[in-house]
Amino acid sequence: MDDVFLRYISLPPAIKGMAVQDEAGRYNVYLNARLTREACAETLQHEIQHIKNGDFLSLEHVKDIEKAR
């Protein structure tokens, strides 16, 4: 998991974070800079689980993937 880059950005309050895979196969994890330290840690773990589970290769709808996590 060396190809994971963590970034803090201002996101709408309802969005805690997201992970995006770029064209080179690297992952960018964006965390809402407005969150508490604890919430950022929890959100980071959630996004790392998406990466470990190969969710970016899944054909399932994103809503179904989120329900499973």
Side-chain angles (χ1 to χ4, degrees):
M1 299 243 325
D2 293 334
D3 291 341
V4 177
F5 299 93
L6 181 58
R7 304 173 192 289
Y8 293 90
I9 62 172
S10 291
L11 293 167
I15 300 175
K16 293 181 180 181
M18 66 182 129
V20 179
Q21 188 176 26
D22 67 19
E23 62 279 346
R26 296 176 298 243
Y27 295 96
N28 292 278
V29 176
Y30 298 93
L31 298 177
N32 193 334
R34 300 174 185 179
L35 296 177
T36 65
R37 185 180 201 142
E38 293 79 17
C40 278
E42 189 176 295
T43 302
L44 176 59
Q45 289 305 312
H46 175 88
E47 298 305 330
I48 294 294
Q49 278 307 121
H50 283 302
I51 295 168
K52 286 182 176 180
N53 291 333
D55 290 341
F56 293 90
L57 303 174
S58 176
L59 298 177
E60 287 184 71
H61 192 278
V62 67
K63 288 182 181 181
D64 294 331
I65 292 171
E66 284 299 321
K67 283 181 190 176
R69 300 294 160 253

